[in-house]
Amino acid sequence: SYPLGDSFRMFGNCYLLQCNNLNVVIIADSGVEKKSSISDELIKIYEEYGKINYLFTCLLSFPEVLNFGLLHYSFCFSFLALARENKKTSMERKSITLGVYDLVEICAQIEICTIVPYAHGHLNRLDQERRRTKELSILLEKRSIQTEVLNWSFGEKIRL
């Protein structure tokens, strides 16, 4: 059961930009929820438009409700819902982002040329971003998945 009930939907954000024969997908706060997953939407995009040249996404996992990076989210829930979620382990809670492991799984299913990490919050998350970028690259290589993970920093430009 989800904290706000089974009818609650968290749509997140998913944008497909097409320019110069490139498919660029930007996702934010989009992971698994009660009735679907952003992975389902990425598969639909792939089936309709072909390979995804660039996927801009957060590499960190953010469990619903109890998220130490976004503590103010907790004010949206009743104390009963918070107590119930607190009893779960982090592996039992669904993430509002795909995270590294779900990204590997979707890259194994569809052709994603380049993952561009972004939306990792304030500057003290930079080390986490670098660790997750390296972890994702290693996991993709172990599975012989050809997706590149772009290693870039705040303020750098990307030419598509």
Side-chain angles (χ1 to χ4, degrees):
S1 161
Y2 278 67
L4 291 181
D6 292 341
S7 63
F8 179 73
R9 298 295 308 272
M10 197 294 288
F11 289 98
N13 300 287
C14 179
Y15 305 94
L16 169 63
L17 308 172
Q18 294 181 300
C19 184
N20 299 328
N21 296 317
L22 295 175
N23 289 323
V24 179
V25 177
I26 302 169
I27 59 176
D29 297 340
S30 303
V32 177
E33 55 99 41
K34 182 69 178 179
K35 297 184 181 190
S36 67
S37 164
I38 193 63
S39 295
D40 301 331
E41 298 308 314
L42 292 172
I43 291 168
K44 288 177 191 175
I45 289 170
Y46 174 75
E47 289 172 347
E48 188 167 343
Y49 301 102
K51 71 180 176 185
I52 296 172
N53 301 91
Y54 294 91
L55 174 62
F56 285 73
T57 185
C58 180
L59 302 183
L60 305 177
S61 291
F62 291 108
E64 288 184 31
V65 183
L66 299 174
N67 178 338
F68 296 110
L70 302 167
L71 287 175
H72 60 280
Y73 278 16
S74 300
F75 294 114
C76 298
F77 300 94
S78 69
F79 288 121
L80 180 62
L82 290 172
R84 192 171 43 241
E85 288 298 302
N86 190 46
K87 289 180 183 176
K88 296 179 182 178
T89 67
S90 61
M91 294 302 289
E92 293 174 310
R93 290 195 296 266
K94 302 292 184 192
S95 176
I96 61 171
T97 59
L98 285 176
V100 170
Y101 298 105
D102 286 338
L103 281 168
V104 170
E105 291 309 314
I106 193 63
C107 288
Q109 294 178 53
I110 64 174
E111 186 178 1
I112 299 174
C113 301
T114 303
I115 291 177
V116 183
Y118 92 107
H120 294 100
H122 39 81
L123 291 176
N124 67 359
R125 291 198 183 265
L126 189 56
D127 287 338
Q128 284 187 28
E129 180 179 325
R130 288 186 180 137
R131 285 194 305 272
R132 293 296 180 267
T133 299
K134 184 176 182 178
E135 178 184 17
L136 179 57
S137 296
I138 290 168
L139 291 171
L140 290 166
E141 186 177 335
K142 282 183 179 179
R143 301 257 315 256
S144 299
I145 299 170
Q146 299 300 309
T147 303
E148 174 189 6
V149 182
L150 190 64
N151 192 6
W152 70 315
S153 296
F154 297 109
E156 288 187 58
K157 292 181 184 178
I158 298 175
R159 296 210 187 272
L160 307 179

